[in-house]
Each structure stands twice: as C-alpha cells, then as structure tokens.
Amino acid sequence: MTRGPGTAGDGAEAAGEASGAHGVGGVGGTGPAGAGGRAPSGPPPPGAPSGRTGWRAATERALYGPGGFYHRPEGPAGHFRTSVHASPLYARAVATLLTRVDAALGHPAELALLDVGAGRGELLTGVLDALTPPGQRGAGERSGAGAGDLVARLRPCAVERAQRPAGLDPRVEWRDDLPAPGSLTGLLIANEWLDNVPVDVVEVAPDGVPRQVRVAPDGTEELGDPLPPADAAWLADWWPWPEEPGHGWDAEPVRNTDPDPGLDAEPVRDDGPDPGSSAEPARDVGSGPRAEPGSRAEVGAPRDAAWARAVRSLHAGLAVAVDYAHTRASRPPYGTLTGFRDGREVRPVPDGSCDLTSHVALDACAAAGARAARAGTPVLHTQRDALRALGVTGRRPPLARASTDPAGYLRALSLAGEAAELTDPAGLGDFRWLCQPVGPVAVADILPLPPPTTPPIPPRDGSGPPRTS
C-alpha cells in the first residue's frame, strides 16, 4: 500500500468521478490524528474561511477543476508512482492477462483493451510493447502472425479526463468518458482509478449522530447536516460503525488474522431481513448501541456506481479493478482520506496542491458490478497472488549465470527485485484485484488460483436474499 516518490518522466494515472477517469495509490490514515488520520471535527473556529462543501464536491474541484492537481504542469509523476511505473513487468503481466481473456473469448475479430484512468497512457504503451515483436515496435505498425495477430485485432482505448499526451502511440484511442454499454469485447483494466473517484466523508458527532464533514479550501472542517437516507443506507450495508466502549461492541472493528486469506475479510453478511420474513429490520446508522464519536467513514456509493457503469461497457470479457482496499469486516475506524505530495503523505487539503485519495470498499464495488447486466460472480485476489498467477514470481536467477552471462544475470537480478516490489505483501502486493467476468468468461480459467471468499450482495430493493453466485 505504498506509493513511491515520483520523478520526472515517470508519468502517472489521472482520476475522475463516475463518468471517467483516474486513481492512484496512497497510504491511508490509521488513527485519529496524523498525516492520514483525522482528529474529530467540531464547530468552525472564529474567523474560519467560508466556502465549505462536502468532501466529494471539494475533491472534484481540487483534483479535476481549473488549476486542479491533475492539471498541474509537472503532472502526478512529480509526486508518486504506481505499479505501472515500478516495473515493465506489470504491463507484461497485463499483456499475459489479455492473451488469456482473448483465448477465453475464442479470439474475437476485434479485441478491446480499455484502460480506465489511463494517466498518460503508460500501461497501454507497455502492453503494446510487450505484445509486439522487438523488430516491429515502431508506432502504428501491426504484425500479422503469432502475438502480432492479437495486436492486429487489438483496439486499445484510454479513458482519461486529461488531454491526450503528445507522442502517444496512434493506435490508442483517447476519450474522456466510458464507451457505450455493451459495446466492447475484451479486457477492461482500472489500475488505481477508484480511489480517486470523489466521495463524501462522514463523522459521528459527540451526540452519536453521523454527520457529513464539510471542508474549506484550506482543509479546515466542520460537521454539517445528518446524512441523507441514501448515504445512511450505504453505510448500514457496508460500513458498520465501531461502538463506544461499554455499549455492546468493541471500539475496534473485527479484524481478520489470517496472514494471506486472498480476500482480507470474512464474507460480507446481510444485516437486513429476507423480504417477507418476521426478522427485525436492519438498524439505521447511528441507532442501537452508541456509535463512537469521532469515528469516520467514506461513503463509497459513487465508486460503486462508477464500477458498475464500467462493467456495463463490456458485452463479454473481464473487468479488473486494482486498488488498495478494505472490506466490511475490517473497515478502518477513522477512515483513510489522505493527501500526497512530493512523494510524501500529507494532510489532505482540497486546494489543488496535493492528491486526495482514500482506500476503496472493493467488496461494495464487487456487489455493484455483479448487479450489472450479464455480469458473473466477482472475486477478489491480492496483487501478490494475481501477479504470481501471471508469471511474476520474483525468483532470483541462478548464481552460476553470473559467470557465464554477467550482463544477463544483472538484468535478471534487477527484474527479480522489481517483481519483489510488485508482490511485496507489505506493499504493492497487498493491493486487491477485483475481477468481474462478463459473458462466457470464468475468472478461474484466467487466474488459476484457489477460489477466494466471494462477498455476498446485500439487496436493498426487496429482490431477495443475498446472492453469492
């Protein structure tokens, strides 16, 4: 879950709301104060600046509005890097994933590769390089045999709200919104996109009532109105509040102690009754045992909608979201909203000077994706497991090669180090891959891994009990 300092020319992903564009990784807060954690908010201090809005509106303006962070001259690459920039092995793994999706689809005449939140097109560029024979890597060239046959059928497309970068391979289509529903057959990849889809922040007030956090451009906050019903409903389904000590639940959320479970939490349970049952209805957010004042959450409904819309763009294929995430059984008690600038985590200030990011409730996104048309059962894997299944192992080359092929040994040793970074369980390897099949595609045929626990889908529309398949 780390993000490295950027350097000129690294490039980066750009971001957006439900209609389109990016996300980048970062380290979220783990306590009530500090760079990522937030101290409990209170009434506005005397002389506090005006212009406060919810964090969703403030983030949209700060990241993507005029003069926003993703429009700064140095670009996000001046501040951090993602897996795409850590090693070309990442793009090669995505290329391998693409070839497996192509085979599962029966090698269609036209194969889409859609990169949502494409930044400056680095991932698509890397995938095209990985698929194109070295002697045919001139921009715009197509090969007609072997892997080149796939390249000839491939239609790479970038979705990004920024301007098309100069010098990008002309084969790459550039657009600022998702394609029409059901218009694509192939692979959709959203690498660190959802974490930058803006969301509102909620905090439990001293009276135990969850309220929207309102923020000024300088980062000062105050508590606003109680939550609208839709936000309260999302939190009731997906983000159980920690309770005040002595009120029935521990203040700390339940944590999974399995060191490498694939899905980092037990299955999501439905808190509501089956339609027509005599069970008690799900409690409203803030009712029942007293929620601990100062607890915070990010309302992920806009990310659910963004992911569902992305999945619906596929007629058949596989949609993959890669992000740092948490699940219902292990939500952080103070949220994860943070800022990132110059390679360091900083206080989140919505003035365009820093990235604004928070971890993703990928289990909620999985449920939303599973409700999309023609969508199959979603699964969650760690990046470590997913990349290993795609051939990125980090295995060191044999030492004997150092004497017979010193230059080759050093290159292989360097790649082993890069692979280790990508799969480090304490870093990038702990990212989650949400894999959502659409049509005649099975995730197990593409990523042959032990099946992780699949999160059930709690209905709120009276449609029936939670679905698990």
Side-chain angles (χ1 to χ4, degrees):
M1 305 220 187
T2 57
R3 181 187 291 175
T7 58
D10 277 345
E13 268 57 36
E17 56 187 352
S19 63
H22 167 77
V24 275
V27 181
T30 57
R38 305 290 296 177
S41 302
S50 59
R52 289 183 174 87
T53 64
W55 268 105
R56 184 182 179 188
T59 299
E60 171 67 26
R61 181 180 61 246
L63 296 184
Y64 316 116
F69 179 77
Y70 286 103
H71 299 290
R72 290 167 63 101
E74 73 277 16
H79 301 274
F80 46 76
R81 64 177 186 167
T82 69
S83 296
V84 177
H85 313 110
S87 171
L89 292 173
Y90 191 83
R92 295 177 195 174
V94 173
T96 300
L97 181 65
L98 179 66
T99 61
R100 295 182 184 179
V101 171
D102 181 48
L105 293 170
H107 309 290
E110 185 169 292
L111 181 70
L113 174 57
L114 183 67
D115 184 5
V116 184
R120 302 299 183 263
E122 299 93 345
L123 179 57
L124 290 175
T125 299
V127 171
L128 286 170
D129 282 348
L131 293 172
T132 307
Q136 299 174 343
R137 287 182 179 175
E141 293 182 14
R142 294 189 184 275
S143 177
D149 174 64
L150 186 154
V151 175
R153 293 182 287 111
L154 188 62
R155 298 296 179 266
C157 178
V159 178
E160 184 55 81
R161 296 172 71 179
Q163 293 294 315
R164 180 187 182 100
L168 182 66
D169 192 312
R171 291 173 289 183
V172 176
E173 178 189 356
W174 192 269
R175 54 185 301 142
D176 62 3
D177 201 354
L178 288 163
S183 62
L184 302 178
T185 297
L187 174 63
L188 180 154
I189 186 91
N191 183 67
E192 300 185 55
W193 164 51
L194 289 169
D195 68 288
N196 281 137
V197 173
V199 293
D200 275 320
V201 177
V202 175
E203 184 176 312
V204 179
D207 61 1
V209 176
R211 295 176 179 272
Q212 185 185 71
V213 176
R214 298 175 61 83
V215 62
D218 68 355
T220 58
E221 294 180 335
E222 67 183 30
L223 297 186
D225 296 330
L227 304 185
D231 287 356
W234 189 91
L235 289 168
D237 273 350
W238 293 110
W239 198 304
W241 292 104
E243 304 293 333
E244 239 188 335
H247 285 272
W249 289 353
D250 293 336
E252 284 292 318
V254 176
R255 298 189 183 278
N256 179 31
T257 58
D258 189 337
D260 192 11
L263 175 61
D264 63 348
E266 61 188 35
V268 176
R269 67 181 186 278
D270 178 37
D271 290 333
D274 294 347
S277 75
S278 59
E280 294 184 2
R283 67 183 178 89
D284 292 332
V285 175
S287 66
R290 181 183 172 91
E292 183 180 16
S295 301
R296 289 169 72 110
E298 293 105 26
V299 182
R303 293 170 174 176
D304 298 353
W307 179 243
R309 187 177 173 212
V311 171
R312 283 194 296 269
S313 68
L314 288 176
H315 170 72
L318 182 68
V320 179
V322 183
D323 243 304
Y324 50 104
H326 44 61
T327 55
R328 190 181 190 276
S330 57
R331 303 289 188 222
Y334 301 101
T336 61
L337 176 67
T338 190
F340 218 82
R341 181 175 59 238
D342 297 331
R344 295 185 298 275
E345 190 176 4
V346 298
R347 174 173 172 256
V349 177
D351 62 357
S353 67
C354 65
D355 182 33
L356 299 171
T357 178
S358 57
H359 293 206
V360 181
L362 269 184
D363 50 351
C365 294
R371 294 188 182 105
R374 291 177 52 80
T377 302
V379 295
L380 284 165
H381 288 295
T382 65
Q383 175 158 298
R384 177 182 177 86
D385 287 343
L387 289 182
R388 285 187 165 186
L390 293 168
V392 180
T393 64
R395 188 176 297 112
R396 293 170 62 94
L399 185 59
R401 187 177 175 184
S403 58
T404 59
D405 180 15
Y409 174 80
L410 290 176
R411 287 193 298 269
L413 191 63
S414 176
L415 287 175
E418 293 172 8
E421 180 183 2
L422 290 173
T423 59
D424 181 0
L428 294 173
D430 195 44
F431 274 52
R432 291 303 186 266
W433 283 42
L434 166 57
C435 301
Q436 175 67 68
V438 179
V441 173
V443 176
D445 294 336
I446 297 170
L447 290 174
L449 291 165
T453 305
T454 302
I457 305 162
R460 295 204 61 85
D461 57 1
S463 60
R467 294 188 283 119
T468 58
S469 63

